[in-house]
């Protein structure tokens, strides 16, 4: 495959400049002015468009058995909807049940993804129990390039682990040079608050947020940071949702704790009033940590622009309306999650760059480059450089549209962003040199995605 992309403005590694990009095979082979097309090359005119490195989503759930049901995506559906939204690599949370052996979970998840994902992918290895066999499997998987673990401080009795296990995971990660990613909510406090609210007859989705308040997440964040500090590991807080939790994470960073911070697009753009809608309309917006008071958002956006917050992910986790009805009788049974993989880049561009809260350079950094650097994918991914994989997004900032489940490609029957306006859209998306999206449609090769060892 030879592609010449002409006249676009490249935005990568903190810089922007007009240049042509030549792609030969799966990599970028030249960047320069007035490049001429080799024989047989496909030429794409990117005048008036940006050329971004393919975006990376560091936090998605594709296959997920959770709360008695399964998230709706397959690796085929999730990867295509990701690509249409400009995401060319995703990192999935492998999350076996605590009763399952990690080795079995790995084989199951890896087998489902293999040959089915249209874009490249890798995994955070979920540690949902601790024993000698789990430790041995973690050592083997890290040796095979699975260089990040995932722990849940929340979800008592499901994915959650106790402090003893958390300490062992962090210690092992420090030894192996593996990043520990963590869902930071104090599981015991959540369980107590849930029972208290239910016993008071407070059963609707509007009680989900009060059952896991900001302070509970702030405590979880400080707690995790302490374990990272004590073991000398490298930690990464996933889906941080509010200013108090941010303060806890930044306090740790000030002490020299190696901690990176992720926010997710629902927390930047939606708020708790959505989950306060009655019945299933509110249940559509139940995720954990919950959508918060809108007052948190200016702080999150400012910290994102300054780089105090490192990355923007989705926590993509689609459950359909029928599944959301599982929680009709009590909010604790609503499957947690909101789909967002197709919308992250356009929402971040619109409500960040276009609305003046985020520079174009930082937008690319937070949604691609920084993620690649943290998780060992850079400079293969996350940059427009000679020698890097030709994962490119030709982005049309002139596009104006509205998000709707009716036109979205996600394998779900509602969108959490229904009716939300967007100011830009990927026009062409390439994966390792192949055009995978053109004019908003998937035109790539199903199942071509590769497992990325890091
Ligand atoms: O509500 C969420 N976030 N669902 C997916 C599981 C998790 O905690 O990331
Ligand atoms: Zn989580
Ligand atoms: Zn998640």
């Amino acid at each position: 495959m030879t592609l010449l992309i002409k006249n676009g403005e490249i935005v990568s590694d903190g810089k922007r400049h007009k240049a042509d990009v030549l792609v030969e095979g799966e990599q970028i082979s030249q960047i320069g002015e007035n490049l001429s097309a080799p024989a047989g090359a496909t030429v794409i005119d990117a005048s008036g468009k940006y050329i971004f490195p393919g975006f990376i989503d560091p936090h998605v759930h594709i296959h997920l058995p959770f709360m008695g049901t399964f998230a709706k995506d397959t690796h085929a559906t999730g990867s295509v909807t990701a690509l249409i939204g400009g995401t060319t690599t995703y990192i999935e949370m492998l999350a076996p049940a605590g009763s399952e052996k990690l080795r079995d979970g790995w084989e199951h998840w890896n087998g489902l993804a293999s040959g089915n994902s249209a874009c490249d992918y890798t995994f955070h290895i979920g540690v949902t129990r601790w024993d000698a066999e789990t430790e041995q499997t973690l050592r083997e998987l890290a040796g095979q390039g699975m260089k990040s673990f995932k722990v849940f401080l929340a979800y008592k009795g499901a994915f959650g682990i106790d402090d003893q296990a958390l300490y062992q995971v962090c210690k092992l990660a420090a030894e192996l040079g593996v990043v520990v990613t963590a869902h930071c909510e104090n599981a015991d406090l959540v369980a107590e608050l849930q029972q208290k609210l239910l016993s008071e007859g407070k059963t609707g989705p509007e009680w989900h947020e009060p059952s896991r308040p900001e302070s509970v997440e702030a405590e979880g964040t400080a707690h995790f940071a302490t374990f990272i500090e004590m073991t000398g590991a490298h930690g990464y807080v996933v889906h941080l949702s509010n200013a108090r939790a941010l303060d806890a994470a930044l306090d740790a960073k000030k002490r020299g704790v190696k901690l990176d911070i992720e926010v997710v697009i629902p927390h930047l753009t939606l708020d708790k009033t959505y989950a306060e809608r009655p019945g299933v309309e509110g249940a559509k917006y139940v995720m954990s940590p919950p959508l918060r008071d809108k007052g948190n958002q200016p702080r999150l956006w400012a910290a994102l622009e300054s780089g105090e917050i490192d990355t923007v992910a989705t926590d993509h986790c689609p459950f359909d309306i029928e599944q959301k009805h599982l929680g009709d009788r009590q909010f604790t049974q609503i499957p947690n999650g909101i789909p967002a993989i197709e919308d992250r880049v356009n929402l971040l561009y619109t409500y960040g760059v276009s609305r003046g809260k985020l520079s174009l350079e930082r937008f690319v950094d937070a949604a691609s480059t920084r993620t690649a650097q943290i998780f060992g994918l850079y400079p293969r991914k996350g940059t427009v450089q000679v020698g890097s994989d030709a994962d490119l997004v030709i982005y049309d900032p002139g596009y104006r549209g509205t998000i709707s489940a009716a036109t979205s490609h996600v394998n779900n029957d509602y969108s959490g962003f229904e009716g939300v306006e967007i100011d830009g859209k990927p026009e062409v998306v390439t994966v390792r040199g192949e055009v995978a999206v053109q004019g908003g449609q998937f035109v790539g090769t199903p199942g071509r995605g590769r497992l990325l060892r890091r």
Side-chain angles (χ1 to χ4, degrees), residues 68-397:
T69 185
F70 289 83
K72 293 296 290 182
D73 264 322
T74 63
H75 293 82
T77 61
S79 60
V80 166
T81 192
L83 281 166
I84 290 169
T87 292
T88 53
T89 298
Y90 58 85
I91 312 184
E92 183 181 359
M93 302 291 176
L94 186 158
S99 55
E100 197 180 352
K101 285 186 181 173
L102 180 56
R103 170 61 59 192
D104 294 344
W106 163 255
E107 278 164 11
H108 185 48
W109 253 263
N110 190 31
L112 290 172
S114 180
N116 289 314
S117 179
C119 63
D120 291 351
Y121 59 93
T122 187
F123 294 98
H124 299 304
I125 306 298
V127 189
T128 49
R129 72 180 201 198
W130 185 262
D131 51 31
E133 197 176 346
T134 303
E135 179 180 347
Q136 183 55 28
T137 305
L138 289 170
R139 286 181 181 279
E140 287 163 15
L141 290 176
Q144 293 162 20
M146 296 303 111
K147 287 279 175 51
S148 46
F149 298 158
K150 170 72 187 284
V151 291
F152 293 88
L153 276 59
Y155 306 132
K156 199 176 165 63
F159 302 134
I161 54 170
D162 63 18
D163 282 353
Q164 220 175 0
L166 178 61
Y167 183 78
Q168 296 301 333
V169 176
C170 294
K171 191 157 118 355
L172 180 67
E175 180 197 326
L176 300 176
V178 164
V179 183
V180 184
T181 72
H183 176 136
C184 299
E185 291 180 296
N186 183 306
D188 291 311
L189 285 171
V190 172
E192 292 295 341
L193 290 169
Q194 285 177 331
Q195 289 321 309
K196 176 175 180 294
L197 290 165
L198 291 176
S199 72
E200 291 165 1
K202 296 170 174 165
T203 57
E206 70 275 26
W207 298 105
H208 176 70
E209 200 277 339
S211 76
R212 26 207 336 144
E214 294 173 10
S215 50
V216 164
E217 187 186 340
E219 195 284 332
T221 305
H223 197 84
F224 174 59
T226 306
F227 281 70
I228 291 297
E229 185 173 15
M230 292 300 121
T231 55
H234 176 179
Y236 176 96
V237 177
V238 304
H239 52 34
L240 181 137
S241 72
N242 68 84
R244 288 180 70 168
L246 179 60
D247 286 340
L250 293 179
D251 261 10
K253 280 175 98 151
K254 271 186 224 129
R255 298 198 301 273
V257 181
K258 194 162 169 42
L259 199 65
D260 297 319
I261 305 170
E262 169 195 281
V263 283
V264 296
I265 204 71
H267 291 137
L268 286 171
T269 55
L270 305 171
D271 62 72
K272 68 177 184 180
T273 61
Y274 288 82
E276 287 168 358
R277 295 173 179 179
V280 80
E281 286 308 309
K284 288 177 180 176
Y285 295 94
V286 165
M287 65 176 291
S288 296
L291 297 178
R292 298 297 190 190
D293 188 285
K294 209 170 180 48
N296 287 290
Q297 288 174 353
R299 183 80 199 289
L300 295 184
W301 280 108
L304 184 60
E305 171 63 3
S306 73
E308 286 175 313
I309 290 175
D310 294 273
T311 62
V312 179
T314 53
D315 198 7
H316 173 76
C317 192
F319 293 104
D320 67 15
I321 295 172
E322 192 185 333
Q323 291 172 306
K324 289 287 185 179
H325 272 297
L326 291 169
D328 281 353
R329 282 149 51 101
Q330 54 184 63
F331 68 87
T332 50
Q333 286 169 9
I334 301 167
N336 287 198
I338 300 179
I341 203 167
E342 185 169 331
D343 305 312
R344 175 185 65 129
V345 169
N346 295 331
L347 287 167
L348 191 64
Y349 180 83
T350 305
Y351 295 95
V353 179
S354 212
R355 301 292 187 274
K357 295 199 218 53
L358 205 58
S359 71
L360 193 61
E361 292 84 350
R362 182 66 191 120
F363 156 74
V364 170
D365 191 46
S368 181
T369 315
R370 185 88 191 98
T371 302
Q373 290 165 339
I374 292 170
F375 292 112
L377 292 166
Y378 187 89
R380 181 170 168 195
K381 307 286 188 190
T383 176
V384 182
Q385 275 183 41
V386 171
S388 295
D389 280 358
D391 294 358
L392 298 166
V393 175
I394 302 177
Y395 198 80
D396 180 5

